[in-house]
Amino acid sequence: MADPAALAAGLLAAGHEAFGALPEYNMSLPADWKDRPEAVAAVAWRREAAERAGLARAIERLRYEWTPAAGTAGPTGRLVFRDGTDEEYLHAFARLAEGSLDLHTQQELRSTDAEQLARADMDFYLDCPGERSWWRLAELPDGTLAGLAVPSATPYYRNVGYLGVVPELRGRGLIDEILAEITRFHAAEGADRITATTDTANVPMAAAFARAGYEVTEIRLIMESAA
């Protein structure tokens, strides 16, 4: 094929016209794809096609898995976890959106405010297979809000749904405590696999997953409209 990118761009353009929109184009890749010349070449022409079709923004997301062999970290007492009201969870979602390194959150905040995004995030996780009763607020021992732990699930596995630390307490290692709480919860329920994702740009979160024994099993390259 002389120019696979041109053909693929045409197919994407036809699909976009049929949809009347520019949906994301996703490529699921092995964790070591950048070390495999054939994979690099295959991604290159597909990415070029997506860019020609108007999908100029690329986001890499890491897919992680935890298995019981990785073990779980015990509580340290640095944080206290408790159930909360809908209003408390809404407030926590909004607080965590401030200064987030998550690219989706950053993009959404360009067109909406933190409270509206918090409502959308909360509705999303309420619609997931996980239970609302699994959620926990993370607080310092004096009752100060420190973050949020939302264990969730996909149709296939238990999942690290949403977690984070409030802006003023970031950089103190508290994300490890919150991730450990989610992992312990799922492990205690008998989960033999826990999945999770984060952007490659979110270096602190990726590092926390690595410290907790989560392994990268796949990289998803997402091409989307920059508009």
Side-chain angles (χ1 to χ4, degrees), residues 46-69:
R46 288 171 172 82
R47 182 166 178 169
E48 181 183 347
E51 290 171 350
R52 292 188 193 182
L55 305 177
R57 180 187 291 126
I59 298 173
E60 283 191 52
R61 291 187 66 79
L62 304 171
R63 184 185 186 277
Y64 288 90
E65 286 188 2
W66 173 95
T67 62

Side-chain angles (χ1 to χ4, degrees), residues 4-205:
L7 177 58
L11 292 171
L12 285 170
H16 294 166
E17 183 177 358
F19 278 116
L22 272 69
E24 297 174 349
Y25 172 49
N26 287 254
M27 288 177 267
S28 296
L29 306 167
D32 64 346
W33 75 271
K34 291 181 180 178
D35 298 322
R36 296 163 59 174
E38 72 282 4
V40 172
V43 168
W45 69 259
R46 288 171 172 82
R47 182 166 178 169
E48 181 183 347
E51 290 171 350
R52 292 188 193 182
L55 305 177
R57 180 187 291 126
I59 298 173
E60 283 191 52
R61 291 187 66 79
L62 304 171
R63 184 185 186 277
Y64 288 90
E65 286 188 2
W66 173 95
T67 62
T72 56
T76 66
R78 296 184 68 198
L79 293 177
V80 176
F81 295 90
R82 69 170 178 87
D83 193 7
T85 64
D86 286 350
E87 291 74 18
E88 288 176 313
Y89 283 126
L90 186 65
H91 172 70
F93 273 107
R95 293 285 285 114
L96 266 58
E98 299 174 25
S100 173
L101 295 178
D102 179 79
L103 297 179
H104 173 75
T105 299
Q106 292 176 4
Q107 181 178 352
E108 289 296 311
L109 287 175
R110 295 188 185 103
S111 58
T112 189
D113 61 33
E115 183 174 345
Q116 290 175 314
L117 179 58
R119 291 186 183 279
D121 285 338
M122 193 164 169
D123 287 345
F124 174 82
Y125 287 103
L126 286 171
D127 284 340
C128 287
E131 301 293 334
R132 160 67 172 73
S133 61
W134 298 353
W135 301 9
R136 292 293 181 269
L137 296 171
E139 297 178 336
L140 299 179
D142 65 3
T144 301
L145 178 67
L148 178 62
V150 179
S152 190
T154 71
Y156 310 103
Y157 302 113
R158 291 296 184 102
N159 176 258
V160 176
Y162 190 100
L163 74 167
V165 176
V166 296
E168 62 271 21
L169 295 178
R170 290 171 185 159
R172 305 185 187 185
L174 296 179
I175 194 65
D176 293 338
E177 307 289 325
I178 296 173
L179 178 56
E181 174 70 10
I182 293 174
T183 307
R184 284 193 300 269
F185 172 79
H186 284 320
E189 293 286 307
D192 59 4
R193 184 171 301 176
I194 306 170
T195 62
T197 60
T198 194
D199 300 326
T200 55
N202 194 343
V203 175
M205 192 68 251

